[in-house]
Amino acid sequence: MRRLASVLAASVLVLTGCALPRHYPEVTFYANGKTIRVEPAVYCDLNGDNCAERGKPAQLKVPAGKVVQISVDGQIANGIWEAVFLYREANGQEKTSGTNLLGKGEDFTYTLALPNKTDQLLGIEIHEAAAAVMQTGEPLLRGFWAVEVTG
């Protein structure tokens, strides 16, 4: 009986105070023979509230003209997500571009290829939409994953 009481007490401690860390969905980036898995820089609850900053952007070397393959966690793919990227054209002009909305259980991957072979990718963000929308009708951001690109 005493042994059962100590097991129950230990179980209560585990359930109340020592919960396992929360798993955040990851995004995988592959370019130039290197793969990195990235946790969100910011991640919120499903309604876009209670946000936690998770850290700095990851870094990935991507020479001009190379593609980046992006693969999102199933949790992200079942919702709505997009890839937004910054790049520099050969003439030095910086541009921002992005995908249409992806996901809905259909899009787990995306291949990012810039318009011209001489364009240099500078950064990538993956945005996951929350269940809520802003007054403009745009989805509220739930989380984002950031990668700084070196040439």
Side-chain angles (χ1 to χ4, degrees):
M1 190 66 145
R2 190 181 195 163
R3 184 173 182 205
L4 178 62
S6 63
V7 169
L8 287 173
S11 298
V12 169
L13 285 175
V14 167
L15 290 174
T16 58
C18 302
L20 294 172
R22 181 177 173 183
H23 168 72
Y24 291 95
E26 295 179 328
V27 176
T28 302
F29 298 84
Y30 173 80
N32 201 36
K34 180 158 170 94
T35 300
I36 60 171
R37 293 180 60 91
V38 179
E39 288 193 339
V42 173
Y43 202 71
C44 308
D45 66 18
L46 193 55
N47 293 321
D49 298 319
N50 304 313
C51 301
E53 288 192 36
R54 308 271 310 140
K56 297 179 180 178
Q59 293 191 340
L60 182 64
K61 183 175 181 173
V62 183
K66 298 292 183 180
V67 300
V68 179
Q69 295 172 331
I70 301 167
S71 177
V72 299
D73 186 284
Q75 179 179 329
I76 301 166
N78 285 330
I80 298 173
W81 64 281
E82 66 180 348
V84 177
F85 44 97
L86 174 68
Y87 65 97
R88 183 181 310 113
E89 294 180 320
N91 65 8
Q93 184 177 5
E94 290 186 4
K95 291 194 170 184
T96 302
S97 190
T99 64
N100 292 325
L101 294 178
L102 303 167
K104 303 174 210 132
E106 299 172 5
D107 303 302
F108 289 80
T109 62
Y110 177 76
T111 300
L112 193 164
L114 297 177
N116 299 299
K117 294 280 186 192
T118 55
D119 294 341
Q120 176 61 58
L121 187 61
L122 301 174
I124 309 166
E125 286 187 2
I126 301 301
H127 298 166
E128 178 186 8
V133 295
M134 296 184 285
Q135 290 180 344
T136 62
E138 294 291 317
L140 187 63
L141 190 66
R142 178 179 192 184
F144 75 90
W145 294 254
V147 174
E148 290 179 351
V149 174
T150 60

